[in-house]
Amino acid sequence: MTDPQHPYSHAVVANGLVFVSGSLPLAEDGSVVPGGRAAMDAAMAQLEQRMATVGAGLADVVKLTYFVTDMALRDHANAQFIDLWPEPRPARTVVGVAELPRGAVVEIDAVAKLP
């Protein structure tokens, strides 16, 4: 279900794959979590919640993309990535962007396989 402010699906299944929309680092109250690793972890928690709506989890991820407003955040992305996935890890891209919605420093999206 979508709303006018967020006119997209959180996760869509097609041909056995799960396409997960970008997830911002939001706290439970909807505020943006600032910082490096804390923001990464909050964005990943949002991603996990979106994947769960279609029965998928982090173990099912095959491709991950981090969008960051500062490439220095790549170190936090690397640390999180290593902590969450054993080898062989999913494919991954880190993309530097000028800005993200709500002033966030990171947004993460993913492609996963259905479990």
Side-chain angles (χ1 to χ4, degrees):
M1 180 186 299
T2 62
D3 66 52
Q5 288 189 334
H6 307 284
Y8 53 84
S9 298
H10 287 183
V12 175
V13 176
N15 295 325
L17 295 175
V18 178
F19 296 87
V20 188
S21 292
S23 300
L24 296 173
L26 301 179
E28 286 187 29
D29 66 2
S31 64
V32 175
V33 175
R37 181 61 188 258
M40 298 284 170
D41 289 344
M44 191 63 68
Q46 290 291 317
L47 186 83
E48 285 185 87
Q49 289 175 8
R50 289 177 175 199
M51 292 177 67
T53 66
V54 294
L58 291 181
D60 304 309
V61 172
V62 296
K63 172 70 168 78
L64 198 69
T65 305
Y66 287 81
F67 300 91
V68 296
T69 58
D70 180 347
M71 286 305 286
L73 293 167
R74 184 174 182 270
D75 292 339
H76 294 293
N78 285 342
Q80 180 186 61
F81 195 68
I82 289 167
D83 289 346
L84 292 176
W85 285 279
E87 291 188 29
R89 295 182 178 94
R92 189 200 75 183
T93 303
V94 177
V95 179
V97 297
E99 66 180 316
L100 290 165
R102 302 181 61 187
V105 298
V106 64
E107 183 171 5
I108 305 171
D109 74 8
V111 177
K113 59 183 172 53
L114 278 177

